[in-house]
Amino acid sequence: MNDEKYILFADPALILASPRDKGALASVTPSTPKALGKLTYSGSVQNSDDAAPISGQAVVTAFDAKRNVTRHYSGYVPNTSQGFYEGDISYTLPGERIFRGLISVNDGSFSGQFTIPKDIRYAGRTGILNVQYWDNAGQSGVAYVDTLSFTGSDSTVSDETGPDIQFFYFGQPLMNGRQILGGDNLTIELSDANGINLTGVAGHGISLAIDEDWTTAVDVTELFEYNIDRADLGQLNVALSNIEKGTHTISVKAWDNYNNPSVSNISLNFTSSSEFRIVDVYNYPNPMDRETTFWFRLTDAADVSLSIYSLGGRKLRKLDLGNLGRGYATQAWDGRDEFGQLLANGVYLVVVEGKTDLTSDPVQTIQKLVIAR
């Protein structure tokens, strides 16, 4: 019997998805970056096939100074003379991530700038700046420097204001009391002139709490991504799939790179994923003159119609919108009835009606509309 013992780490025939080409960081300034200061970089992309210069995107990641880690281990081997054993093992790890953002690569060149957080180690060791780029044609590569020497702090700048925090749902700003579907993505937008603290040092990350219970808050820092070519604005998407039906307060806490905190709360009405609803119905402008646009959101795909009624209940116009997908939808209206006549000034009712394969009866939402010419 073959009693050899081995560990298979990988398939020897597997081709690793490593960057193919090598770029160059031509400039990283200042040469000795300081906390709270700006780090500016630029470089170029090299194509090993000598084809046209690459135009695409790149992920820029910066790490704090390397750190030594020592771990203690112990164990016991039964039925041997060795018995109990213990010891220490030391190794080096990259420092905490201090920046991660997406930038454009144009005709083989790239550049950018970001703020160095206050939470760096000042350890006298060197950090890393890594740029990994790609294009739609399958070209990819990496450029990096591992000699960033962080020293001191920039005392010439001042910032005492935390990040601005905004909530969005399907691309639309959220306000207190709005209804959303449990399990859908809630978009949280963060902005600050000096960037968002992503280090996680001393709790300086992005946290989300439900009903202001910070003892069970979740660290969502890893979900944050800067907008392309921005180091002051980004967002993260959170799916609140396990939240109970009803009204809940969502709280988000974030820090900027100067360690200024901000907390923002929003109260939302969560509905069951099995219930079909037509929500967030409004039109703009309202009052209207000759044209207006209706907005509404469907919690599931449905056959939808939009009707205009007088206050006395007479149907004046019906617009069949067909089968619409889940999410926000819009429909313009020219202020005319079924016969093409402009409606008179006054107050009217707008009825948005939808029917899905899961509902035996149509679901309706009613909104008031004012015509004033």
Side-chain angles (χ1 to χ4, degrees):
M1 179 180 292
N2 184 359
D3 61 354
E4 290 188 16
K5 297 178 176 61
Y6 62 92
I7 298 174
L8 180 63
F9 287 100
D11 181 352
L14 181 67
I15 299 176
L16 298 178
S18 57
R20 176 182 175 186
D21 300 326
K22 185 177 181 181
L25 277 159
S27 173
V28 179
T29 57
S31 57
T32 54
K34 295 182 178 181
L36 309 183
K38 303 288 186 182
L39 187 142
T40 303
Y41 59 90
S42 62
S44 61
V45 171
Q46 299 175 2
N47 190 323
S48 59
D49 294 334
D50 294 327
I54 288 179
S55 290
Q57 296 179 343
V59 173
V60 180
T61 311
F63 294 93
D64 196 358
K66 301 169 188 175
R67 53 197 171 102
N68 286 335
V69 177
T70 299
R71 295 285 186 264
H72 184 77
Y73 63 88
S74 62
Y76 179 75
V77 182
N79 303 321
T80 68
S81 59
Q82 181 178 2
F84 179 80
Y85 64 92
E86 64 178 334
D88 293 317
I89 182 171
S90 298
Y91 50 93
T92 301
L93 288 177
E96 289 79 9
R97 187 185 67 226
I98 60 177
F99 178 79
R100 181 185 61 201
L102 190 65
I103 61 171
S104 301
V105 178
N106 297 308
D107 293 327
S109 298
F110 60 84
S111 62
Q113 183 185 75
F114 60 88
T115 301
I116 300 171
K118 188 175 183 179
D119 288 331
I120 58 174
R121 289 183 171 274
Y122 309 97
R125 293 177 174 269
T126 56
I128 299 172
L129 179 64
N130 182 84
V131 180
Q132 187 165 352
Y133 57 87
W134 68 91
D135 67 3
N136 292 332
Q139 298 287 339
S140 64
V142 64
Y144 73 94
V145 293
D146 57 2
T147 56
L148 295 180
S149 180
F150 299 107
T151 58
S153 179
D154 189 343
S155 59
T156 63
V157 290
S158 177
D159 181 358
E160 298 180 354
T161 304
D164 181 62
I165 304 173
Q166 301 290 333
F167 298 91
F168 292 83
Y169 186 54
F170 281 94
Q172 301 296 316
L174 276 176
M175 296 177 291
N176 283 316
R178 291 284 287 272
Q179 189 178 75
I180 74 171
L181 188 65
D184 275 353
N185 277 341
L186 178 67
T187 300
I188 303 163
E189 183 182 88
L190 306 177
S191 61
D192 190 279
N194 288 303
I196 307 301
N197 193 327
L198 305 178
T199 64
V201 174
H204 296 163
I206 306 170
S207 303
L208 183 146
I210 297 175
D211 294 328
E212 300 183 85
D213 182 4
W214 291 102
T215 62
T216 59
V218 179
D219 187 341
V220 292
T221 309
E222 287 294 326
L223 301 178
F224 178 80
E225 294 183 353
Y226 281 106
N227 292 4
I228 189 167
D229 296 322
R230 299 289 296 268
D232 60 349
L233 173 67
Q235 62 185 26
L236 56 97
N237 292 304
V238 180
L240 302 173
S241 55
N242 296 322
I243 197 165
E244 294 182 358
K245 180 181 176 181
T247 301
H248 297 277
T249 299
I250 306 301
S251 303
V252 174
K253 184 175 185 178
W255 305 71
D256 67 8
N257 284 322
Y258 281 58
N259 287 349
N260 298 307
S262 289
V263 177
S264 185
N265 304 310
I266 189 167
S267 178
L268 300 172
N269 182 14
F270 289 84
T271 63
S272 169
S273 59
S274 62
E275 298 177 357
F276 172 62
R277 293 286 185 270
I278 303 173
V279 295
D280 302 340
V281 180
Y282 66 96
N283 68 288
Y284 181 84
N286 189 14
M288 63 169 288
D289 182 359
R290 292 178 179 270
E291 290 185 350
T292 191
T293 299
F294 297 99
W295 297 72
F296 54 90
R297 181 172 60 82
L298 307 176
T299 61
D300 203 348
D303 293 318
V304 180
S305 65
L306 188 151
S307 300
I308 311 297
Y309 288 83
S310 69
L311 290 180
R314 185 165 66 94
K315 183 185 292 186
L316 304 172
R317 181 77 181 271
K318 181 179 180 180
L319 303 173
D320 288 312
L321 310 185
N323 189 269
L324 302 180
R326 176 183 169 197
Y328 277 95
T330 62
Q331 176 62 45
W333 179 53
D334 58 6
R336 298 178 183 273
D337 62 14
E338 296 284 1
F339 304 101
Q341 300 298 313
L342 287 172
L343 296 184
N345 290 348
V347 180
Y348 298 86
L349 299 178
V350 180
V351 178
V352 182
E353 183 176 278
K355 189 177 187 307
T356 73
D357 295 336
L358 303 177
T359 55
S360 56
D361 297 316
V363 172
Q364 292 184 342
T365 300
I366 301 175
Q367 186 81 3
K368 285 186 178 181
L369 162 73
V370 177
I371 297 179
R373 299 188 181 94

